Amino acid sequence: MGEVTAGRRFGEGPLSRAAALIYTMLVVELLLLAATAPGLAGLVLLDRDASNLPLYALCALPAGPALSAALYALRHRSADLADLSPAAAFLRGYRANAADVLKVWAPWLAGMTVVGVNLAHFAAAGVPGWWAALLVAVAVAAALWAANALVIASLFRFRAVDVARLASYFLARCPGATLGNACLLVVAGGLTLVATELAPLALASAFAAGLLRNSRPMIAEIRERFVSGQ
């Protein structure tokens, strides 16, 4: 027993791994908040009014690259206390993925803005009630698609059109992951309703970790079937 203990390197025990995870999550959360600070400032200043929906979308624009960097850092994290560099991984992921992520994040925000404006002025449009349910279903499906697209664009190198296709394909291909992401969406929506729009950001690193965990089957299949050496 003494030989096992003596042979174990620093940072390999269960307590060390737990400490490494907590440290990584905290660092990633702080960096994510810093990266989204310009948008957060705008959200704080805006009134909760439907006319501000385009401005809300504009404020949410920095969140895409920040979430992508968080996913990258958590995916490449080390469980060894002696080899922790979550800040470096976050910055590396941000620099590498920001442009590609915005190619799917910005159109998604634009589409969600259109849906939100239509729902906000639904009574004035004079259309059947089922149309609102259809818009909500479209918004949910689009959010689940965006979750897949964010993971794919953060961890792999594809053209934006291929990211969009793969994100759509894996919605049905990995129903367990889609259901798990739907649960994350419900939690985030609930926090927003009972608190503020900023509440989910306080747990953004935890949501990113949950998204990564749900996406493991998708990541594994993409690595096996569609890429080599990534």
Side-chain angles (χ1 to χ4, degrees):
M1 186 71 178
E3 291 181 2
V4 174
T5 304
R8 176 178 288 174
R9 293 174 57 244
F10 173 75
E12 291 184 343
L15 290 178
S16 296
R17 290 195 295 270
L21 174 60
I22 293 171
Y23 173 76
T24 299
M25 298 288 286
L26 288 175
V27 171
V28 168
E29 179 70 30
L30 290 174
L31 289 172
L32 195 153
L33 291 175
T36 56
L40 295 181
L43 289 176
V44 171
L45 295 174
L46 288 173
D47 293 328
R48 287 191 174 187
D49 189 271
S51 62
N52 287 328
L53 283 174
L55 294 178
Y56 271 102
L58 188 61
C59 291
L61 201 59
L67 286 169
S68 172
L71 289 168
Y72 183 93
L74 292 174
R75 176 68 177 177
H76 294 87
R77 75 178 184 87
S78 172
D80 189 346
L81 274 176
D83 185 31
L84 285 180
S85 54
F90 184 96
L91 295 175
R92 185 167 61 251
Y94 195 97
R95 288 193 299 266
N97 299 327
D100 290 338
V101 167
L102 283 174
K103 291 176 184 177
V104 294
W105 184 255
W108 174 72
L109 282 177
M112 294 297 282
T113 300
V114 172
V115 171
V117 169
N118 277 277
L119 285 173
H121 300 92
F122 182 77
V127 293
W130 59 265
W131 187 253
L134 179 61
L135 287 176
V136 171
V138 168
V140 171
L144 294 173
W145 171 88
N148 280 356
L150 195 61
V151 172
I152 296 169
S154 300
L155 303 183
F156 301 99
R157 288 288 175 270
F158 291 115
R159 297 177 305 167
V161 64
D162 293 327
V163 171
R165 289 171 178 169
L166 286 171
S168 300
Y169 170 74
F170 280 104
L171 284 177
R173 175 66 175 172
C174 298
T178 301
L179 179 60
N181 291 339
C183 293
L184 291 177
L185 184 64
V186 169
V187 173
L191 284 175
T192 300
L193 289 175
V194 302
T196 70
E197 294 83 356
L198 304 180
L201 278 173
L203 297 172
S205 62
F207 280 112
L211 179 57
L212 266 183
R213 182 176 180 82
N214 292 338
S215 301
R216 285 187 299 183
M218 179 182 74
I219 295 169
E221 185 166 342
I222 290 175
R223 190 176 299 280
E224 179 181 351
R225 293 183 54 193
F226 299 103
V227 302
S228 60
Q230 291 198 43

